[in-house]
Structure formats: structure tokens, C-alpha cells
Amino acid sequence: MNQSFKAPIVHIHNLSKSYFRETLEIPVLQGLDLDIPSGGFYALMGPSGSGKTTLLNLIAGIDRPSGGVLEVCGSNLNQLDDDELASWRNQNVGFIFQNYNLIPVLNAFENVELPLLLTPLTRTQRKEKVEEALTLVNLMDRLENYPRQLSGGQEQRVAIARAIVGNPMLLVADEPTGALDAKNADEVLAMMQKLNEEFGKTILVVTHDPKAANFARHQVHLEKGVLDKTVEVNR
Amino acid sequence: MKFINLIFKSLMRSKRRTFLILGTLVLSVFLITILQSLLATLDSVSNQSTEGNRFIVRHKSGLTQFLPISYGDYLRQQPEVIAVANSQWFGGYYQDPKNFFANFANDHTTMFTVFSDTVAGMTDAEIKEYQRDGTGCIVGQILADKFGWKVGDTIPLTGTIFPISPRLTIRGIFKARLASDENTLYFHYKLLEESVPFMKGKTGAFWVKTKTPEDLPRLSNRIDNHFANSPEETLSETENAFYLTFVKMLGNIGAIIHGVTIAVIIAITIVTIGTMSMAFKERTTEIAVLRAMGFSASRVLFLLMGEGLLLVTLGGALGIGLASLVAKILREVLGSALMFLQDFRLANETILICMGLTLAIGLISTIIPAIVATRKSIVEGLRAL
């Protein structure tokens, strides 16, 4: 285990987010305070509409807060412009989606290579890193396969390889097991646990599933856009 | 370069759609290139850089009417005139009607002076031999190569306008600047005049060479005024104006070609905008995923534009290639029937204009849907599942 809870990788203070439907303001998050330490494994839980996906999107830098402090991986995200934020995401965040979201016209190798195309790495260096990531998810024998030739579990493992290939500090996952059967869901969650425990990745998962949430170390409960409670999971 | 695989594979996502739009592009570019080249060829026919001091005197009523040969005496008496050659389109073919090419009965004594630029490359001995032999003829290099003719060969020519089929002996092979000029046969005017009773003392036209180009307006007016109110009135015109009468027979082809070209450009732009919009809309989530991974909006815009430009460049290149092939076929198949088609080629300027137009269509039709696709927020794009 590689746990270092020194500085928070995510520091949130008085965070708020509202959406506008024409002139009508719809608050989604209000006055949120949360610190996530580096190397933490947090599950964001709560009923539909509680704001957990919105919070994940804000932390991952794909959405902008309406107010408050949002510091992630040492950067104040409010101060970054769109291009800086894109570059920041490439260097610091790996995404895992419920529906895998692999590019159907690219094979497993090419899908995993995608985030590396934005780096100055050479073709050989990229190849090494992609093979390393695919080895980690036990899919080296599938690198030529296209998404349609893979099972749901394999697709999600390719997505995990894509998320970690650039060695980001933070992995965010929105319902990563939502489209999987129980066996594959367990495999994916075990893999994320391994990434947290053996590789020290900070992981933030949005889930409805209490079983999936139990793979995390902490569960953050949201209720109507405010932080309800944070619970440490005893394993 | 590292994005080319992504661009290409994205473009080939729906092969049927890509090939259909590619086919539409190829046909459109082909059509534009062929039509514009046709226009350029017709323009070059009516604006060719001939010797400025040559003009034609023909019957005022039209090309099918004859003038008395005696008019030539008056023409030769004019102080500005260097030489006069009477000439008649013979319209014969060699062995088979398919072997049709330009052939004229010309004044064998003066034609080498009058047409010094279009009948060139023969030795003095060859010219003398041709002038000596009343059944001799001279042929252009392209024509000789086409039928494998050489000096000394006998050419049976079957008349289609005149009821004679002369057997002519090749006395020389000449070169010319234009392919259409080198695809021509000339024989003695006297042979036609002596063999065809109704051509006795008649000719289709006179080609007149003057000392300077400045002589032309004054001299042509004087000639036409001289023969005005006579039974056979004349019309004197420059060589280009004369060629233009053939082009005008096709109607206002320039306006038609430009009209069709504009219609094709508008149609293909609309079709490409529709196709690209649909293609990008289907990939809303994918675009959002790329951006979440760190691809900036401008980078994604570049990738989407790359797809559009790759498609139109491919379509443009194939369309121009097809047009080039068809131009060659037209030259070979229809060149003997439509003389101007012998010079039908895709000019570099036309190719550049067509390629530029194609790229412009690609830019215009891709940039709008690409901007729309990249303006959508990542969160909105991810929700579009």
C-alpha cells in the first residue's frame, strides 16, 4: 500500500454550481467544503439530482463552478482558461465512463494511445506506455481488437488503460460498473482498488451501488446539493 | 502527422456514406474541370496567338458560299499585301469515314508564305517537290504518326463534299504549334479546281498576309467596300474572328458553362455541409470524450477540419484525374470530328482553379458543422448518449 495523506489533492471550499434554464437559476451544489487527500479512494453517493456527477465534473475540470474555491492537483481551476484547462486535464486526470466511450473506429491499442498523442512522446515511447497499460489490465492479447470485438468488461478495462496511460494523479469514474454484470463489475472495481493501493492513484467514483462504494475507503454522501456526511469504510 | 491515423479512421467510420459523398465530389469536380477546360479551349481557339498580319476574306453570306478566284487579283494588287492563298475545306476521309481529319485544297505556291507559322519544319527540297507534284500533298507530324505515313506514301482521300477521291502522294511532313494544325493535310488547289467542274474559278476563301498588323483594319474595309453591291460580296475578318464564328455556332456556351459550374458548386457545398453536419452530430459524445481527455476545442476543430479537407482533396484529385482521362479520350475519339477538341487539354490554371474551388468547398462545408460540434460543452456532449 502506498498511502500518503499529506496534502489534499482536491481542496474545495464554499463551492457552488447553478444551471440556468432561460432566466431560471437552478442551484445544483451549494456551499460545499471537501478535501480529498492524495492517494484517497472516495465514492460519491447520493440520490439522483443530489449533484454528485456535477461535483465529479467540476473536480475533473470539465465543468466550471459558479463560485467558491476549487483546487485540484495543485492548480486553481478557476484561474485556468479553456486551453490551459484542457492541457491540465490531459496531465492530471484519467476518465472512466459508464458506457466506456471508446472510439469505435480505433482498436484497443489506438484507443489507449489517444491521450498520449497530446504529449511530446515519440512513437516508440507511446508504444511502450500503451503496452504497459494494457498489460496492467490483462489485455495485451487484445490490442488489435476493435471495441465491437470486445466484451463489456474488456471494453471497460481498455477504458481504464486509457485513463491511466498518461500516469495522471487523479482518476475519476462516473458509474463505472453501471453497464456491467456482477462478475465484470467486481473485476473492474478490484482493478481500481489495485490502482489505488499499489500505484497510489487518487480515485473518485460516482456510484449508486453500495457494493461498489464499499471498494472505496471513504464515502461522501450528497443530499440536494450539499454535503450530508463523509463516512470511512471499514474493510 | 501523428493525428493522420485518427483523421483517416474517423473519415472511414461510415464507409458507405464516405464513398457516396466522395463519389459526388469526384463527379462534381470532374464536371467543373471538364466544362471549364472546354471553355478555356474554346477561348484559346478564338484568342490564339496567330500571326497578327494575316486575315481571311470570305463570302459575306456564309462559309458555304464560294468567291470568284479572280478576286485574288485585286487582293494581290493592294500595296500592303505580301501574299494571298486561296483555300477550300475539302472534308475528305482516309479509307474509312472514322478516319476523318482536317484537309484543305490550298494554293501550293503561296501557302508557305501565308502560313509560315502553322506549316513549318519542311526542307526547301521538300517544299519544291510538293510544289512540283500536282497530286502531291503535305501532312502534319501528328497525322503522319497516327497513320504511320511517311514521305512517298500514297494517300487515297475520299471526298464527302466534292465528288472526287484523289490519290495523293506525301511530299513532306510539317510541324505546327497546335495539335489541331498538325492534324491537317494540304493538297494543290488546282487539283480540286480541275477535278470538280463547279469549282472552276471558285474558292471558299482567301488567306491574306499583309506587311504589318496595322494594315489590317484599313485594308479589310477597302476590300469589303470594293466588292460591296457585287453579286459576291466579301467579309474580311481577322483569323481569331474567323475561328470565333465556329465557336459561336455552339451558342453562348460560356454563359451556360459558368451557370452549370455555379449550380454544381452550390449543390455540392450544400450536400457536403449536410453530410458533415450529420457525421459530426453522430459523434457528439466522442468529441466530448476527446475534449475530456485533454484535446482542446481548437485541436478537435483541427481534426474535424482535417477530415473534411482530406475528403475534398481526395475527391478533387480523383475528379481531376478522371477529367484528364476523359479529355484524352475526347481528343482521340471526337478530335477528328470537332477540330477544336484536338487541342482539348486540362490547362494548369484550370486544374489549380478547380483544386482551389474544391478546397474552398471543403473549408466552407466543414467549418460550420465543426464549430457547432466543438462549441458544445463537454458535459452536454457526455450527456448526449
Side-chain angles (χ1 to χ4, degrees):
Chain A
M1 283 218 307
N2 178 7
Q3 296 279 12
S4 58
F5 293 146
K6 290 171 193 168
I9 196 167
V10 177
H11 172 62
I12 290 170
H13 176 61
N14 199 24
L15 190 74
S16 62
K17 174 70 185 176
S18 298
Y19 289 112
F20 287 88
R21 206 162 281 165
E22 293 175 358
T23 52
L24 182 67
E25 184 179 359
I26 303 163
V28 183
L29 296 174
Q30 298 167 76
L32 209 75
D33 292 312
L34 177 68
D35 280 345
I36 297 176
S38 177
F41 189 166
Y42 277 62
L44 293 177
M45 301 188 73
S48 291
S50 59
K52 53 190 187 300
T53 296
T54 302
L55 178 59
L56 187 86
N57 290 342
L58 292 173
I59 293 171
I62 59 173
D63 203 357
R64 298 275 192 182
S66 304
V69 175
L70 177 60
E71 288 173 6
V72 187
C73 300
S75 296
N76 183 345
L77 302 193
N78 290 328
Q79 289 177 347
L80 303 180
D81 65 25
D82 287 348
D83 283 350
E84 287 168 339
L85 198 56
S87 174
W88 174 87
R89 283 195 301 269
N90 181 249
Q91 289 161 22
N92 296 287
V93 187
F95 289 85
I96 302 164
F97 303 97
Q98 180 176 354
N99 291 305
Y100 333 126
N101 286 339
L102 300 178
I103 309 291
V105 292
L106 302 180
N107 62 30
F109 180 95
E110 291 162 339
N111 263 292
V112 177
E113 190 189 21
L114 270 176
L116 299 182
L117 293 178
L118 298 171
T119 67
L121 295 176
T122 63
R123 194 188 172 92
T124 315
Q125 288 169 326
R126 292 201 302 269
K127 186 170 181 284
E128 275 172 23
K129 284 191 175 287
V130 171
E131 287 177 353
E132 205 177 299
L134 282 168
T135 304
L136 199 67
V137 296
N138 297 320
L139 280 176
M140 262 311 279
D141 56 335
R142 296 288 189 161
L143 47 85
E144 296 287 336
N145 286 71
Y146 286 85
R148 64 178 180 278
Q149 299 167 320
L150 300 170
S151 69
Q154 287 170 332
E155 277 196 77
Q156 193 60 300
R157 276 150 63 196
V158 174
I160 292 172
R162 182 178 67 184
I164 61 172
V165 73
N167 196 25
M169 297 165 81
L170 179 65
L171 290 181
V172 295
D174 193 355
E175 302 281 5
T177 57
L180 297 174
D181 58 36
K183 184 176 169 285
N184 278 310
D186 283 351
E187 270 182 29
V188 165
L189 289 165
M191 197 161 284
M192 291 173 77
Q193 205 168 43
K194 181 178 168 186
L195 288 170
N196 173 249
E197 291 175 357
E198 293 180 21
F199 295 90
K201 300 291 175 198
T202 307
I203 298 178
L204 200 51
V205 183
V206 164
T207 183
H208 275 104
D209 180 8
K211 191 183 163 198
N214 283 336
F215 278 80
R217 294 181 172 279
H218 292 85
Q219 294 176 353
V220 176
H221 290 262
L222 290 169
E223 187 73 42
K224 292 181 182 170
V226 293
L227 193 60
D228 184 30
K229 57 183 176 185
T230 302
V231 180
E232 193 167 345
V233 180
N234 293 314
R235 283 191 228 153
Chain B
M1 280 307 286
K2 58 188 171 184
F3 294 106
I4 196 76
N5 181 50
L6 180 60
I7 291 172
F8 182 74
K9 287 199 164 182
S10 298
L11 185 61
M12 298 307 285
R13 167 180 312 257
S14 168
K15 288 190 179 64
R16 187 187 301 168
R17 181 169 57 201
T18 302
F19 283 122
L20 280 174
I21 184 74
L22 188 65
T24 312
L25 276 165
V26 170
L27 279 178
S28 304
V29 174
F30 160 75
L31 200 61
I32 294 170
T33 311
I34 282 286
L35 289 175
Q36 290 300 319
S37 297
L38 189 66
L39 195 60
T41 305
L42 292 174
D43 277 348
S44 73
V45 167
S46 52
N47 293 307
Q48 53 184 288
S49 55
T50 52
E51 288 198 341
N53 56 343
R54 185 165 59 211
F55 70 104
I56 189 165
V57 180
R58 63 179 176 90
H59 200 291
K60 192 178 179 181
S61 301
L63 292 165
T64 55
Q65 303 295 308
F66 302 118
L67 290 173
I69 268 188
S70 57
Y71 279 18
D73 296 336
Y74 173 77
L75 302 178
R76 275 183 282 272
Q77 283 165 14
Q78 303 312 302
E80 299 93 337
V81 172
I82 295 173
V84 178
N86 45 314
S87 175
Q88 176 60 48
W89 168 259
F90 182 65
Y93 63 82
Y94 169 63
Q95 291 179 334
D96 188 288
K98 282 191 294 186
N99 298 331
F100 188 81
F101 50 83
N103 42 82
F104 294 90
N106 262 20
D107 187 324
H108 63 282
T109 55
T110 53
M111 69 169 290
F112 293 100
T113 309
V114 176
F115 298 106
S116 55
D117 59 327
T118 54
V119 181
M122 284 172 60
T123 62
D124 287 346
E126 284 175 328
I127 292 172
K128 275 184 186 156
E129 190 56 16
Y130 169 59
Q131 288 174 333
R132 183 199 60 75
D133 181 4
T135 58
C137 69
I138 55 172
V139 296
Q141 186 71 58
I142 290 176
L143 193 60
D145 291 344
K146 185 176 173 185
F147 293 113
W149 293 339
K150 56 188 185 304
V151 173
D153 286 354
T154 301
I155 309 300
L157 207 57
T158 307
T160 56
I161 303 169
F162 301 100
I164 57 166
S165 297
R167 289 179 66 79
L168 306 166
T169 307
I170 297 176
R171 294 301 178 194
I173 294 172
F174 62 86
K175 292 192 184 301
R177 190 172 46 80
L178 293 176
S180 53
D181 289 333
E182 245 184 50
N183 230 323
T184 307
L185 177 150
Y186 296 104
F187 64 92
H188 288 225
Y189 194 84
K190 272 193 175 165
L191 181 65
L192 176 71
E193 198 185 3
E194 286 167 3
S195 312
V196 181
F198 65 80
M199 286 304 289
K200 187 78 184 163
K202 302 269 178 60
T203 186
F206 293 99
W207 289 88
V208 181
K209 192 164 188 178
T210 59
K211 288 172 186 163
T212 66
E214 290 72 34
D215 294 330
L216 257 62
R218 190 175 59 246
L219 182 59
S220 59
N221 277 338
R222 193 191 312 148
I223 292 166
D224 291 344
N225 287 336
H226 179 77
F227 294 111
N229 301 316
S230 72
E232 318 288 352
E233 289 188 83
T234 60
L235 174 66
S236 303
E237 57 190 356
T238 62
E239 209 167 344
N240 287 339
F242 176 65
Y243 289 132
L244 201 57
T245 57
F246 293 98
V247 174
K248 278 179 179 168
M249 286 175 188
L250 298 169
N252 191 358
I253 203 157
I256 296 168
I257 286 176
H258 286 314
V260 172
T261 302
I262 290 167
V264 170
I265 290 170
I266 292 171
I268 190 62
T269 307
I270 292 169
V271 168
T272 316
I273 288 177
T275 309
M276 298 316 274
S277 298
M278 209 188 304
F280 296 162
K281 197 168 182 184
E282 282 171 9
R283 285 154 57 193
T284 302
T285 306
E286 251 180 64
I287 290 168
V289 170
L290 285 176
R291 291 184 60 200
M293 259 184 245
F295 284 70
S296 62
S298 53
R299 175 90 64 183
V300 174
L301 187 71
F302 158 80
L303 292 174
L304 298 178
M305 294 289 295
E307 281 179 45
L309 288 178
L310 182 64
L311 182 71
V312 293
T313 306
L314 204 59
L318 288 173
I320 288 169
L322 182 65
S324 178
L325 188 71
V326 169
K328 188 171 182 276
I329 293 168
L330 280 176
R331 242 185 351 256
E332 286 170 6
V333 176
L334 294 177
S336 52
L338 294 167
M339 297 289 287
F340 71 92
L341 284 180
Q342 289 171 7
D343 300 318
F344 185 42
R345 276 175 184 78
L346 309 189
N348 288 340
E349 286 164 31
T350 311
I351 292 173
L352 281 175
I353 289 170
C354 288
M355 214 56 219
L357 265 176
T358 314
L359 288 175
I361 289 171
L363 274 174
I364 293 166
S365 55
T366 315
I367 197 159
I368 300 164
I371 287 174
V372 171
T374 50
R375 271 197 171 175
K376 191 168 267 193
S377 80
I378 301 174
V379 171
E380 229 178 301
L382 289 173
R383 272 200 216 116
L385 276 173

